[in-house]
Amino acid sequence: MAMAIRVFLILLLFLSSTNLGYSLYEDQVGLMDWHQQYIGKVKHALFHTQKTGRKRVLVSTEENVVASLDLRHGEIFWRHVLGTDDVVDGLDIALGKYVITLSSDGSILRAWNLPDGQMVWESSLQGSKASKSILYVPKNLKADKDDLILVFGKGYLHAVSGIDGEVLWKKDFAGESIEVTHIIQSADKIYVAGFFGSSKFYVYGLNADNGELLKNDHTVLPSDTFGELLSVSGDKFVVLDKIRSKIFTINIKNGEIRYKQKPISDLIKDSSGQAVILPTRLPELFALRIDSHVFIIKVTNEDDLVLVDKINNAASLSDALSISEGQHAFAFIQHESSSIHLFVKDVNDWSGDLLKESIIIDHQRGNIDKIFINNYVRTDRSYGFRALMVMEDHSLLLVQQGEIVWSREDGLASVVDVTTSELPVEKEGVSVAKVEQNLFEWLKGHVLKLKGTLMIASPEDVVAIQAMRLRSSEKSKMTRDHNGFRKLLIVLTRAGKVFALHTGDGRVVWSILLHTLRKTEVCEHPVGLNIYQWQVPHHHALDENPSILVVGRCGPSLAAPAVFSFVDAYTGKELKFLRLPHTIAQVIPLPYTDSTEQRLHLIIDINQRAYLYPRTPEAIDILQREFSNVYWYSVEADNGVVRGHALKSNCIQKVVDEYCFDFRDLWSIVFPSESEKIIATATRKSNEVVHTQAKVMTDYDVMYKYVSKNILFVANAAPKARGEIGTATPEEAWLVIYIIDTVTGRILHRMTHHGCQGPVHAVFSENWVVYHYFNLRAHRYEMSVVEVYDQSRADNKDVWKFVLGKHNLTSPMSSYYRPEITTKSQSYFFTHSVKAIEVTLTAKGITSKQLLIGTIGDQVLALDKRFLDPRRTLNPSQAEKEEGIIPLTDSLPIISQSYITHSLKVEGLRGIVTVPAKLESTSLVFAYGVDLFFTQIAPSRTYDSLTEDFSYALLLLTIVALVAAIFVTWVLSERKDLQEKWR
Amino acid sequence: MASTRSFILFLFIQFFFSFLAFSFAQSPATGSTEGYTIYGRVKIPSVGTKEYILPGKISNIKVILNGGQRVTFLRPDGYFSFHNVPAGTHLIEVAAIGYFFSPVRVDVSARHHGKIQAALTENRRGLSEFVLEPLKDEQYYEIREPFSIMSVVKSPMGLMVGFMLIVVFLMPKLMENMDPEEMRRAQEEMRSQGVPSLASLLPGAARSN
């Protein structure tokens, strides 16, 4: 039997060692992972609702996504994520079958096939001067000119064929330095209008066939203008004068310019505020906003202005929509306390409403930012309207007949920061009924699973199994589980909205649009910065809900004042908010908590002051006790300086503030600016746990890891090689890496990689750092590992010293001891570009580590740390092989089964977050970009628990069979005994 | 900020000069021709019976220049292009779900008017024409072995069950065939040794055959 066990163990070992890392069967997709696709905040939308075929809406977004959505359900038909610098400026439909996008400041024009999103052609439009870009697809030109697309960008007007993207002709406007703002088409002529300076108005008439200049005219307006020129109809424009008191009406009939001016006060009595012309395109009309009122003004045929209507509290106006010959409709929104009113009016007939609806929208979506309308013909031949609304939180809604047909949480495409929160502890007697399911059902389920594992299941069975697995209510329960798989992912989005996502199925548990991060008069351009765990009750104070801290700033500059919001992690209610009197440069969560488990945070402002939060006397007490143990560092990448700081004393200022501290610089490292520029830094995660401090080498030698939390990795590049690949030669490129102790400022390690350049992506864990960079000589990417070992403890190997207590392991560790350090390092080639790099975290740090690499193809690859072991040699000895050292290869293997995103893509991948589960073997991984992806991975397989699809039925069957066998053999032996005795 | 402004100014000046030259020479070239164009083609064998990429459907393939500096897509015939690329050594990657492409080193020569030399970085193979093909297909899932008796027998549980069966059914048979005297001797041996071990039983069985 002992032998059998040994055989069994060897087999198990064999099985586990053959399969390095993570892999998945196809039918396990969706069991532990979820994937959500988003598009981002919509900038342009076009409806494509022909009678035949699927109804869709084409959108381009601020995440540089071009997508086609199903108008019925809001699902994505197809989607393309363009490059990060490839901002979409224009979107239109040409020839009725191509979607045309203009991007990269008017230099790239692409046509996408409408049904499937295949790119049909791409055209690069060259120019020399940065300018506004305009995409104009002329409608109803002469029949044979149906395919013309006019593009203005970089100072040139291009006429492009819609069929193949060929440039038919181009006209240079850069020489005249005219800021072209409009392209107007009339019959076979094209007019280009724009300003020179801000008062000289030019019009050029061009031949649509060849771009030949037919005529040009210009006029000088009596004063400078303010804001954009708005086209009211084919040949009429309106613009405000510089002091915003007059409106100019410009008419360019037949290429001749005439203008009129009219003071706003003549139109609108007792108007006091600043007027702005809204960029809404309405035929013969325009909209003027003064304070919160919108005035609709008509431009008559004689270029006179007539006030048509005044709308109070108008939030958003749509462009006009042509519903039939000569009939145009447009929509606007009025906000009221709890609901919004949607009006659709006929542009020519202002007396009645085509549509008036009030809709109740969750106020966590905020105000309506943009509205696009589309019409359809009802069964009674009247017109119905649907409205696509872009909300303040970047979500997208389709409203039809007063109802929200579908909504998309597209704010989640722009995640800024992520943290996690535990779920509430399960109360007694809540889910007992659920666990004690019908035994028969349970058995049936397992029999089905058994069939599945034995591959004898029929197709119906397979479907049933898959449904059963996905339905498994366990994973989406709202309580804490034993293994710690169920958590809340709390994400902050660029819109200032905080979402809590359930790790089980990715659903939104709650969401809140933080009013501190909403645009107000006090705070013009709020930016959400970071999200921290503020209160994590675990031992005492268990009755309290955990809360999180959201840190923001009133504007993009560092000098803008900071805002705090505290949000309850269970309910999603804002507990309180603070508008701080100081600025914010750095937030340092301290490793101390007060009696209610609130974490102490130090906020560093730009005036060399540190502020303590929470502002309670208890927090001061705790900080006073640990006053001399608080150290932090700051990196000034522009100046090439890294500084270490410590607290000094209370602030010296007029108003006494005992929560304010001055700090002193302990040390600073100034890198030579002519040869090095800081491009990347990395430090250890504060919540990382290291299980073993020592590492036993193959020769039974012990190496002690240099495990310090105060350790910083800095990568510097040569100034000439800071740019992109292809801009520097190997001779002028180098990369210098440093490992710095952030308490003393001591440089523990310094290394130069010649002929290498950034971008550098690095991750620091335990005593090692792994970083990814580009090697220009080999023209390949490389990944290097540096492991740091503590030499001063190296003589603690003698067992007798341990026994007699003569070791120095219990002596307090201090950064001031200057321990002797040795490092080991090694470099390997890596195939792909990298967008993000992260390492798995487990609860106790026993499980071996995997690197999670977000590749350029928006996939996440799990790579065993064993591949990045500096001790890999070409011919490992027997002992080394037993230890699991892999023979040296020049490049790191890419095993396609170890892509944790399997056949999915996390489009626009920006970051990866790992969180330890309670179960030691498992780590939770959340990858975000335009898409979101979550999974749990077990870097050394789930050695401490049975897998999800462990077949209890097989186990039961075996036991039953064994018991039966025992009985049978017992009966048989009895009988035999009896026969023996009879003999 | 100041630097960008001066840069724009520089562009202006440069433009005015170039404009003069251009109007004089009447050349069809645009104002700025500092860059070259990289043309290439991605070819995917259509025999692939992939579920996630239908043969011929290449709309989700991206071609990436210099680690994300620019991204472009494939035309229906598989061609792609990057315009306005400065001379130098660049890196092109192809991101396609289901296929493994090697990054390509592209040398754009300034001396030879944008002549392009390409080589795969994975195996350092030069490309005579710029056609990129996947090095291998990528299989993201483990394949479930179809059900067979052998796989059950080979599994640890199967081995254990098999071993048990042998002990339960085969051993008594062997015992039966044994000589009663030898049996008694064996039993005595057992008693003297205590627990019978596998090793002591097997040679006896072999001897009896």
Side-chain angles (χ1 to χ4, degrees), chain A residues 1 3-4 7-8 11 15 19 23-29 79-86 110 112 116-124 126-129 156 170 172 174-175 177 452-456 469 724-726 774 776-781 829-833 856-859 890 894 896-897 899 902-905 907 949-950 954-955 958 962 969 972 976, chain B residues 11-12 15-16 19 22 28-32 51-52 56-62 64-76 79-84 86-91 93 95-98 100-106 121-122 124 136-148 152 154-157 159-161 163-164 168-169 172 176 198:
Chain A
M1 205 57 212
M3 176 99 172
V7 167
F8 181 65
L11 259 172
L15 282 175
N19 217 321
S23 58
L24 194 74
Y25 293 107
E26 196 162 0
D27 50 20
Q28 290 175 324
V29 171
R79 175 182 66 157
H80 291 292
V81 183
L82 309 185
T84 40
D85 301 330
D86 209 2
R110 293 191 180 103
W112 313 88
D116 62 357
Q118 166 73 51
M119 192 180 84
V120 186
W121 50 258
E122 181 188 50
S123 204
S124 165
Q126 315 273 315
S128 52
K129 178 190 143 202
Y156 276 83
K170 59 186 165 191
D172 175 18
S177 57
T453 42
L454 296 181
M455 307 276 291
I456 49 171
R469 281 169 159 175
E724 314 247 331
I725 297 161
F774 191 70
L776 280 163
R777 285 188 208 281
H779 218 76
R780 293 176 81 172
Y781 285 99
F829 287 126
F830 186 74
T831 308
H832 298 297
S833 299
I856 192 78
D858 296 323
Q859 290 170 291
D890 64 341
I894 290 176
S896 53
Q897 279 97 333
Y899 278 108
H902 42 95
S903 63
L904 299 171
K905 265 175 142 183
E907 285 281 4
D949 44 283
F950 177 79
L954 188 63
L955 183 72
T958 320
L962 283 176
T969 47
L972 283 177
K976 204 171 270 179
Chain B
L11 274 183
F12 261 88
F15 181 76
F16 277 117
F19 184 71
F22 153 49
T30 57
S32 65
E51 286 131 57
Y52 18 90
K57 198 194 171 184
I58 48 173
S59 66
N60 287 323
I61 298 178
K62 281 183 193 175
I64 299 149
L65 180 72
N66 292 342
Q69 185 188 357
R70 279 195 235 168
V71 178
T72 192
F73 300 84
L74 297 185
R75 285 163 210 225
Y79 281 98
F80 67 88
S81 54
F82 288 106
H83 298 274
N84 232 356
T89 310
H90 303 274
L91 189 78
E93 288 166 277
I97 286 282
F100 178 82
F101 281 91
S102 163
V104 190
R105 172 200 172 119
V106 181
T121 61
E122 280 294 286
R124 301 199 175 85
K136 60 173 194 258
D137 288 4
E138 287 198 326
Q139 193 68 50
Y140 298 111
Y141 303 110
E142 294 275 301
I143 296 170
R144 277 207 196 275
E145 304 266 316
F147 176 72
S148 70
V152 172
K154 274 185 192 160
S155 76
M157 239 185 240
L159 282 175
M160 275 169 79
V161 170
F163 178 69
M164 296 284 189
V168 172
F169 292 106
E176 243 170 51
L198 195 69

Side-chain angles (χ1 to χ4, degrees), chain A residues 93-196:
Chain A
I93 296 176
L95 302 169
K97 59 180 180 182
Y98 294 154
V99 182
I100 308 291
T101 59
L102 180 67
S103 57
S104 289
D105 300 322
S107 64
I108 298 175
L109 190 69
R110 293 191 180 103
W112 313 88
N113 195 11
L114 197 63
D116 62 357
Q118 166 73 51
M119 192 180 84
V120 186
W121 50 258
E122 181 188 50
S123 204
S124 165
L125 309 173
Q126 315 273 315
S128 52
K129 178 190 143 202
S131 71
K132 202 182 145 182
S133 56
I134 307 161
L135 171 68
Y136 184 74
V137 179
K139 307 280 184 302
N140 50 49
L141 261 178
K142 280 187 297 182
D144 56 325
K145 284 281 167 303
D146 213 28
D147 57 339
L148 197 68
I149 296 167
L150 294 170
V151 175
F152 184 81
K154 303 216 165 185
Y156 276 83
L157 179 72
H158 295 263
V160 181
S161 160
I163 295 165
D164 54 3
E166 199 187 326
V167 177
L168 300 173
W169 52 262
K170 59 186 165 191
K171 177 86 183 78
D172 175 18
F173 285 95
E176 274 99 308
S177 57
I178 292 166
E179 198 59 51
V180 172
T181 52
H182 286 88
I183 303 172
I184 309 114
Q185 153 242 333
S186 70
D188 56 348
K189 285 199 196 80
I190 291 160
Y191 292 101
V192 174
F195 275 102
F196 177 82

Side-chain angles (χ1 to χ4, degrees), chain A residues 491-714:
Chain A
V491 299
L492 172 67
T493 64
R494 201 179 301 144
K497 197 172 187 181
V498 178
F499 290 88
L501 307 174
H502 196 288
T503 56
D505 50 5
R507 69 178 188 276
V508 175
V509 177
W510 52 260
S511 62
I512 177 173
L513 187 62
L514 292 175
H515 81 279
T516 48
L517 297 179
R518 284 179 77 172
K519 197 173 157 186
T520 52
E521 273 119 45
V522 218
C523 196
E524 275 285 333
H525 302 286
V527 198
L529 294 176
N530 289 103
I531 185 162
Y532 297 93
Q533 292 183 335
W534 176 253
Q535 194 178 14
V536 188
H538 49 284
H539 295 306
H540 38 284
L542 251 182
D543 312 334
E544 301 216 18
N545 289 359
S547 54
I548 51 159
L549 164 68
V550 180
V551 179
R553 195 189 280 147
C554 274
S557 87
L558 269 175
V563 286
F564 273 10
S565 276
F566 300 90
V567 181
D568 187 317
Y570 289 171
T571 61
K573 297 275 177 300
E574 191 171 26
L575 299 171
K576 61 174 176 179
F577 71 93
L578 296 172
R579 289 195 187 278
L580 307 185
H582 52 82
T583 55
I584 190 160
Q586 212 177 340
V587 181
I588 301 160
L590 297 174
Y592 317 116
T593 54
D594 67 5
S595 59
T596 56
E597 303 268 349
Q598 287 186 1
R599 186 164 293 276
L600 271 59
H601 285 71
L602 270 186
I603 312 295
I604 313 297
D605 76 351
I606 54 170
N607 304 320
Q608 293 276 304
R609 291 229 162 102
Y611 297 86
L612 176 70
Y613 288 88
R615 294 169 79 92
T616 56
E618 192 194 352
I620 285 281
D621 283 349
I622 297 167
L623 187 69
Q624 291 295 354
R625 242 179 286 143
E626 305 286 346
F627 203 75
S628 56
N629 287 335
V630 177
Y631 298 93
W632 71 94
Y633 68 91
S634 60
V635 179
E636 292 165 38
D638 296 337
N639 306 332
V641 186
V642 181
R643 285 180 215 280
H645 312 279
L647 290 173
K648 192 166 76 181
S649 61
N650 270 83
C651 292
I652 301 152
Q653 56 186 18
K654 279 176 206 146
V655 189
V656 179
D657 181 0
E658 54 180 341
Y659 301 104
C660 168
F661 299 92
D662 281 329
F663 59 84
R664 59 204 159 104
D665 289 358
L666 292 176
W667 51 266
S668 61
I669 298 173
V670 183
F671 298 111
S673 62
E674 67 278 2
S675 64
E676 293 177 26
K677 289 274 182 223
I678 299 175
I679 55 166
T681 60
T683 185
R684 276 186 61 195
K685 283 213 194 64
S686 58
N687 60 342
E688 191 188 46
V689 186
V690 179
H691 187 256
T692 39
Q693 298 210 353
K695 192 167 185 177
V696 182
M697 301 288 153
T698 39
D699 49 355
Y700 299 105
D701 197 2
V702 178
M703 295 279 275
Y704 286 90
K705 295 176 186 171
Y706 183 76
V707 182
S708 164
K709 295 245 163 184
N710 306 306
I711 198 161
L712 174 73
F713 166 84
V714 180

Side-chain angles (χ1 to χ4, degrees), chain A residues 211-359:
Chain A
E212 192 191 333
L213 185 67
L214 298 173
K215 58 171 88 174
N216 67 347
D217 192 9
H218 74 272
T219 189
V220 181
L221 297 180
S223 81
D224 283 353
T225 55
F226 171 83
E228 299 268 303
L229 182 75
L230 182 79
S231 158
V232 177
S233 65
D235 46 11
K236 285 179 204 155
F237 301 94
V238 287
V239 69
L240 283 170
D241 77 334
K242 189 154 198 182
I243 54 166
R244 305 202 221 173
S245 66
K246 274 185 262 177
I247 301 171
F248 292 114
T249 320
I250 305 168
N251 191 327
I252 54 156
K253 193 153 257 170
N254 303 324
E256 283 159 24
I257 307 168
R258 281 171 295 149
Y259 71 89
K260 281 188 178 178
Q261 49 181 317
K262 189 161 189 171
I264 293 175
S265 54
D266 282 11
L267 273 172
I268 301 151
K269 303 286 174 293
D270 52 74
S271 71
S272 55
Q274 293 280 344
V276 183
I277 293 181
L278 295 178
T280 299
R281 285 161 174 269
L282 303 170
E284 312 287 320
L285 296 175
F286 68 96
L288 191 74
R289 182 191 285 275
I290 300 175
D291 294 335
S292 67
H293 307 294
V294 172
F295 298 90
I296 307 290
I297 298 163
K298 187 176 177 72
V299 185
T300 62
N301 290 337
E302 291 78 39
D303 298 345
D304 273 335
L305 302 178
V306 182
L307 180 67
V308 177
D309 198 5
K310 175 183 173 187
I311 308 165
N312 296 327
N313 299 322
S316 190
L317 285 85
S318 78
D319 283 347
L321 168 81
S322 165
I323 49 176
S324 64
E325 196 67 39
Q327 200 183 5
H328 294 267
F330 94 107
F332 63 88
I333 294 283
Q334 259 183 330
H335 276 283
E336 230 165 75
S337 56
S338 62
S339 62
I340 59 157
H341 298 291
L342 170 71
F343 295 90
V344 179
K345 277 185 188 280
D346 189 334
V347 169
N348 302 322
D349 174 21
W350 203 260
S351 52
D353 296 323
L354 287 173
L355 184 79
K356 186 183 171 189
E357 282 171 355
S358 55
I359 310 141

Side-chain angles (χ1 to χ4, degrees), chain A residues 408-457:
Chain A
R408 292 181 58 86
E409 290 289 356
D410 277 306
L412 286 170
S414 53
V415 172
V416 177
D417 199 9
V418 185
T419 188
T420 54
S421 166
E422 294 287 345
L423 282 159
V425 182
E426 193 162 346
K427 296 278 187 300
E428 299 261 325
V430 170
S431 66
V432 178
K434 260 195 169 170
V435 174
E436 285 174 6
Q437 266 177 342
N438 192 340
L439 187 72
F440 177 68
E441 285 287 310
W442 180 85
L443 207 66
K444 211 171 99 183
H446 277 290
V447 167
L448 269 178
K449 265 190 192 174
L450 174 69
K451 272 184 167 176
T453 42
L454 296 181
M455 307 276 291
I456 49 171

